[in-house]
Amino acid sequence: MTLKGNTDLPQSSGSSIMKTKELTKQVRDKAVEKYEAGLGYKKISRALNISLSTIKSIIRKWKEYGTTANLPRGGRPPKLKSRTRRK
C-alpha cells in the first residue's frame, strides 16, 4: 500500500488498519500553540498534516489535564520485572 504525499508514515502490508507511532511532544505542543493563536481544528490539521480527530484529541487532553505529555495507560502489569528481562 502506498500513500500519497507523506512518505514517513509506516506502510501496511495486507492489512487496512495501520498502527503508527505516537506524535512527539514538540508536534503536540505546536498544535496547542496554533490553537491558542486562534486557529481552528481544520486549519491546524492541514498545517501539521495530522488527522482532524488527532488534533481534537490533543486539544481535549490539553484542556482537561493541562499537558501534552503522554499519559500512562491502563493494562496488565508485566509478569517480569525490567531487571529480570535484561538477564
Side-chain angles (χ1 to χ4, degrees):
M1 180 177 163
T2 59
L3 300 174
K4 273 188 173 176
N6 197 346
T7 57
D8 44 357
L9 289 176
Q11 297 198 5
S12 173
S13 58
S15 175
S16 63
I17 299 173
M18 292 175 47
K19 284 203 162 206
T20 59
K21 298 284 184 189
E22 294 175 334
L23 295 173
T24 63
K25 183 159 176 26
Q26 290 82 12
V27 172
R28 293 189 305 262
D29 288 340
K30 184 64 84 174
V32 171
E33 283 176 24
K34 289 182 179 291
Y35 178 78
E36 286 181 317
L39 269 68
Y41 292 142
K42 283 184 184 179
K43 288 184 180 180
I44 297 170
S45 174
R46 286 188 212 122
L48 298 177
N49 197 19
I50 300 172
S51 73
L52 184 62
S53 62
T54 303
I55 296 297
K56 287 180 181 180
S57 296
I58 291 169
I59 302 301
R60 186 180 335 111
K61 184 171 86 169
W62 173 72
K63 284 180 177 178
E64 187 173 342
Y65 298 107
T67 183
T68 58
N70 292 328
L71 298 175
R73 295 185 186 90
R76 181 179 185 198
K79 283 185 172 184
L80 300 174
K81 303 289 181 212
S82 60
R83 184 178 182 121
T84 308
R85 271 187 276 141
R86 286 192 299 247
K87 289 184 181 181

